[in-house]
């Protein structure tokens, strides 16, 4: 079955760090744009970061620049999101998603979604 499996979330204190993983099954992450999104209660799903399929370009929303790092391990068919200097406003369910073409901030344009992993940052 073609799928994405996100994991690595947890409960951390302000300033803490986590590494989120997005493992792909039945396809190669190198062949698609892989994005990370998050959704907090009562809010719309927000694009956080993306790894471009062609040239490996990376993109970040302004609120996470300098704190989050996206990376890709082709051998493990996995895309990671390292989240550092966490703030309470980073609390959300984090999702990874696949897009057939280039990265986009528009969640509706993504073609396949993982199940999400909860990140909770305590103050």
């Amino acid at each position: 079955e073609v799928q994405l499996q996100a994991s690595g979330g947890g409960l951390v204190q302000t300033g803490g760090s986590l590494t989120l993983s997005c493992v792909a099954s039945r396809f190669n992450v190198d062949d698609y744009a892989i994005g990370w999104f998050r959704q907090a209660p009562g809010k719309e799903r927000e694009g956080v970061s993306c790894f471009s399929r062609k040239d490996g370009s990376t993109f970040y929303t302004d609120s996470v620049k300098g704190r989050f790092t996206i990376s890709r391990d082709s051998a493990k068919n996995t895309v990671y999101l390292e989240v550092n200097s966490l703030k309470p406003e980073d609390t959300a369910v984090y999702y990874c998603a696949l897009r057939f073409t280039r990265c986009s901030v528009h969640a509706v344009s993504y073609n396949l979604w993982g199940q999400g992993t909860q990140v909770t940052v305590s103050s």
Side-chain angles (χ1 to χ4, degrees):
E1 182 182 356
V2 176
Q3 64 178 4
L4 292 167
Q5 186 85 14
S7 63
L11 172 63
V12 296
Q13 293 183 335
T14 297
S17 299
L18 291 168
T19 298
L20 309 183
S21 300
C22 177
V23 181
S25 299
R26 302 283 187 176
F27 67 92
N28 294 323
V29 293
D30 294 354
D31 296 335
Y32 302 94
I34 304 294
W36 282 96
F37 289 78
R38 65 186 179 186
Q39 189 165 20
K43 294 188 176 181
E44 292 187 356
R45 195 165 293 192
E46 173 192 25
V48 174
S49 183
C50 188
F51 204 110
S52 172
R53 72 183 180 104
K54 286 193 173 180
D55 59 6
S57 300
T58 57
F59 303 92
Y60 300 92
T61 193
D62 287 345
S63 63
V64 308
K65 285 180 180 177
R67 301 189 297 121
F68 291 11
T69 302
I70 192 170
S71 61
R72 183 174 66 190
D73 187 331
S74 301
K76 295 184 177 180
N77 218 22
T78 300
V79 174
Y80 300 97
L81 186 68
E82 183 179 346
V83 296
N84 299 309
S85 302
L86 283 164
K87 306 174 182 180
E89 52 264 42
D90 294 318
T91 295
V93 179
Y94 283 70
Y95 300 87
C96 58
L98 169 158
R99 194 169 190 261
F100 293 152
T101 55
R102 67 179 67 86
C103 288
S104 170
V105 298
H106 302 294
V108 295
S109 68
Y110 282 70
N111 306 101
L112 177 71
W113 289 83
Q115 85 287 3
T117 185
Q118 176 72 47
V119 173
T120 303
V121 185
S122 63
S123 57

